[in-house]
Amino acid sequence: MKQKFLFSMFVACIGFTSVAVAQKANTIFGGNVIIGAPLGDLRNDYRSVVGIEGLAGFGVGQNVYLTGTLGFQSYAPESFNPYGKITMVPLKAGVRFYPVNNFFLTGNAGLGLIRDETIDARESRFAYDIGAGLSFSIFNASVHYDGWQKKNTNGGSNSVLLKLGIAIR
């Protein structure tokens, strides 16, 4: 059931992007490879995070884009961690702003479908990120503060992520 949901979300994102491309020439799309380090309490039990993501969006101003992202992240556990690896499928919507030609600011919020090795199905959490980056032609590099809401305790699980990829606009 979850796979059908994820597939339908992917198809909807592709369809949304196609409509946006047909309606406006001012679009953005691309993808990133993600590497990072957990922060705070999450750092005590997990040593790194890796992943990928795709993004698509359309311009609402000369240098402002509304974007949607779909990705996959994997948190590598420390050897003593009883919960094992955490995987997350983030589905987020946000804004990317280019105040100058080669520099951008971005923020996203949405849903993270999270699973560790002790649960059978993915559980949804509020997920968000904020970041800044540099673009060189179609290539970009950015640093993001990424987080998702914990379920049974207060606060969130946070990471610093380095995203390397492309963005065609």
Side-chain angles (χ1 to χ4, degrees):
M1 185 67 174
K2 295 271 184 185
Q3 291 174 342
K4 289 180 183 178
F5 172 75
L6 290 174
F7 179 74
S8 64
M9 290 298 294
F10 178 72
V11 169
C13 287
I14 297 296
F16 176 71
T17 304
S18 299
V19 169
V21 170
Q23 298 295 322
K24 286 187 165 220
N26 191 14
T27 60
I28 187 169
F29 60 94
N32 294 306
V33 174
I34 301 168
I35 57 172
L39 299 174
D41 290 339
L42 189 64
R43 182 174 49 193
N44 296 336
D45 296 324
Y46 295 90
R47 62 180 176 269
S48 65
V49 57
V50 296
I52 60 171
E53 75 177 359
L55 72 95
F58 59 94
V60 294
Q62 184 173 355
N63 295 317
V64 179
Y65 297 87
L66 294 181
T67 61
T69 59
L70 173 64
F72 179 83
Q73 296 176 357
S74 179
Y75 291 79
E78 294 289 352
S79 59
F80 58 84
N81 185 334
Y83 299 106
K85 176 175 66 172
I86 292 176
T87 59
M88 179 171 66
V89 177
L91 304 163
K92 300 177 188 173
V95 175
R96 183 178 276 213
F97 171 59
Y98 288 84
V100 295
N101 196 31
N102 293 333
F103 177 75
F104 63 89
L105 302 170
T106 184
N108 300 288
L111 187 66
L113 302 173
I114 297 175
R115 181 171 186 254
D116 64 28
E117 293 178 354
T118 65
I119 58 177
D120 293 330
R122 291 198 180 271
E123 298 178 352
S124 61
R125 305 283 198 290
F126 174 71
Y128 57 92
D129 69 76
I130 186 165
L134 298 172
S135 61
F136 310 97
S137 181
I138 65 169
F139 302 103
N140 57 239
S142 58
V143 175
H144 291 251
Y145 178 79
D146 186 77
W148 39 274
Q149 186 69 38
K150 289 183 180 179
K151 183 164 183 148
N152 296 322
T153 59
N154 293 331
S157 297
N158 307 306
S159 303
V160 171
L161 304 178
L162 174 63
K163 297 183 179 184
L164 304 170
I166 61 170
I168 301 169
R169 57 184 177 129

